[in-house]
Amino acid sequence: MVLSYNEDRPQVRRLPRHIETAPRKFRKGPWIIGGLAVYAFTAYGFYLYSSLSRIDETSQILNVPEDVSDRYNNTAKEFDDQVNLTEQIMGIGLLRKSLTKRASGDVLEVSVGTGRNMKYYNFKKCKSITMVDQSEEMIEIAKQKFKDLHSRYRTYTFLTQSALDHITCPTSGGFDTIVQTMGLCSTPHPSELLTHLGVLANPSHGQILLLEHGRSYYDWLNRLLDKTAPAHADRHGCWWNRDIGKIVEESGLEVVKIKRYHLGTTWWVELKPKKRVEK
């Protein structure tokens, strides 16, 4: 209520009701975003601390071979339970979903593992899908997941083999989309693998979509990853300290986009074959 005066007597002038009673607006958006950012950073910090603290400090003296892919046969049955909480805390599932839903045409997924990306595919956009992994135990789990999730989809193939070996596309011209998530850490020849994926992709419009983990932006974190890498690889079949940027550069593929998360240790990479120069 506001009082206004004239020369004779005071008069009362009421403000419009929507102005008189409206509370001051509080902008929640920035606070919510800030809170989520703090939560994500704290959660990831806790994950790093707990993961690194579980690895024995004698890690660096272990005699671990470069090829640790055979570990996945031993961990296949417990693999999903082991990584579910970590991926939930880090938001890896959201990244998997965003990456996988972009697949279209004749699709190849290498290092398919236990099929953690299967629920994210838009099969209306996929003409066919070929799924490859070297671990027989993991492929069996992936097959069962596929039957449970996509029983009506018929144009699919499972292959138990190395992705470095030849893979035949159902139609001529090469795969339209190649997906790999968390696979460069487990192969002994990561650059060669990417180069080979470029050969398998359609040369005119093929896309190679990667979600990987590797070295960080920060030296202090890279030192921790290097120190604990042998024990982690021996236990989980994953060299988590690889330089993904260098691997991509050595592959000879054309970079479309690179984004990094979690202090730079999670890499979103989009590649395509380099155009061949006709002589």
Side-chain angles (χ1 to χ4, degrees):
M1 186 182 296
V2 176
L3 292 177
S4 63
Y5 291 85
N6 60 25
E7 293 180 355
D8 299 323
R9 57 189 175 84
Q11 295 178 340
V12 176
R13 186 176 79 247
R14 289 188 176 277
L15 294 174
R17 181 174 296 276
H18 72 281
I19 297 177
E20 188 175 6
T21 60
R24 177 178 292 181
K25 291 184 178 180
F26 178 72
R27 301 184 64 183
K28 295 181 180 180
W31 288 94
I32 293 174
I33 294 172
L36 290 173
V38 170
Y39 167 77
F41 186 83
T42 304
Y44 183 58
F46 173 76
Y47 157 73
L48 280 177
Y49 173 79
S50 60
S51 297
L52 294 170
S53 63
R54 287 197 299 266
I55 298 177
D56 193 279
E57 291 198 6
T58 61
S59 170
Q60 61 269 27
I61 65 174
L62 289 174
N63 185 19
V64 182
E66 191 70 14
D67 187 355
V68 289
S69 56
D70 62 330
R71 272 64 170 177
Y72 288 105
N73 278 330
N74 299 325
T75 62
K77 293 181 180 179
E78 296 81 27
F79 184 80
D80 285 333
D81 290 336
Q82 289 175 354
V83 303
N84 277 340
L85 180 59
T86 298
E87 292 207 351
Q88 184 177 1
I89 289 173
M90 296 174 64
I92 296 296
L94 295 175
L95 293 174
R96 286 182 181 273
K97 182 177 181 179
S98 297
L99 189 84
T100 307
K101 72 178 183 181
R102 298 181 54 188
S104 62
D106 288 311
V107 179
L108 169 65
E109 182 177 348
V110 297
S111 301
V112 70
T114 59
R116 296 186 65 81
N117 298 324
M118 283 183 183
K119 59 185 176 181
Y120 303 126
Y121 278 102
N122 181 355
F123 281 95
K124 293 180 180 179
K125 295 168 39 179
C126 299
K127 185 190 303 182
S128 71
I129 182 164
T130 303
M131 288 161 281
V132 178
D133 200 281
Q134 202 165 342
S135 168
E136 185 176 353
E137 298 292 332
M138 286 200 156
I139 279 286
E140 289 304 314
I141 295 172
K143 284 181 180 179
Q144 188 57 53
K145 280 186 184 178
F146 191 88
K147 291 177 182 178
D148 294 340
L149 291 169
H150 310 292
S151 59
R152 296 183 179 180
Y153 191 81
R154 291 288 179 264
T155 315
Y156 67 92
T157 304
F158 282 93
L159 299 174
T160 305
Q161 65 170 74
S162 169
L164 283 163
D165 296 334
H166 179 70
I167 302 170
T168 301
C169 182
T171 57
S172 61
F175 290 97
D176 303 296
T177 306
I178 298 177
V179 175
Q180 178 176 265
T181 57
M182 311 304 175
L184 292 180
C185 63
S186 59
T187 176
H189 308 291
S191 298
E192 291 89 336
L193 174 60
L194 283 188
T195 301
H196 184 57
L197 296 185
V199 173
L200 296 174
N202 187 296
S204 63
H205 60 263
Q207 57 176 346
I208 301 168
L209 307 177
L210 309 176
L211 185 64
E212 304 289 348
H213 51 194
R215 300 187 76 75
S216 166
Y217 292 127
Y218 302 102
D219 291 339
W220 63 268
L221 182 49
N222 289 330
R223 286 192 293 270
L224 286 173
L225 293 174
D226 290 340
K227 184 178 181 181
T228 55
H232 185 79
D234 190 47
R235 182 178 301 177
H236 300 291
C238 160
W239 291 98
W240 63 2
N241 64 332
R242 285 184 169 165
D243 188 337
I244 304 301
K246 182 179 179 181
I247 291 169
V248 168
E249 183 179 355
E250 291 175 348
S251 73
L253 299 176
E254 183 174 336
V255 176
V256 178
K257 181 186 294 185
I258 292 180
K259 296 189 288 187
R260 298 173 70 178
Y261 307 88
H262 309 125
L263 305 180
T265 59
T266 301
W267 296 65
W268 170 300
V269 182
E270 299 175 25
L271 306 170
K272 65 180 181 179
K274 282 192 175 180
K275 292 183 179 180
R276 298 169 187 171
V277 179
E278 296 184 2
K279 295 182 180 180

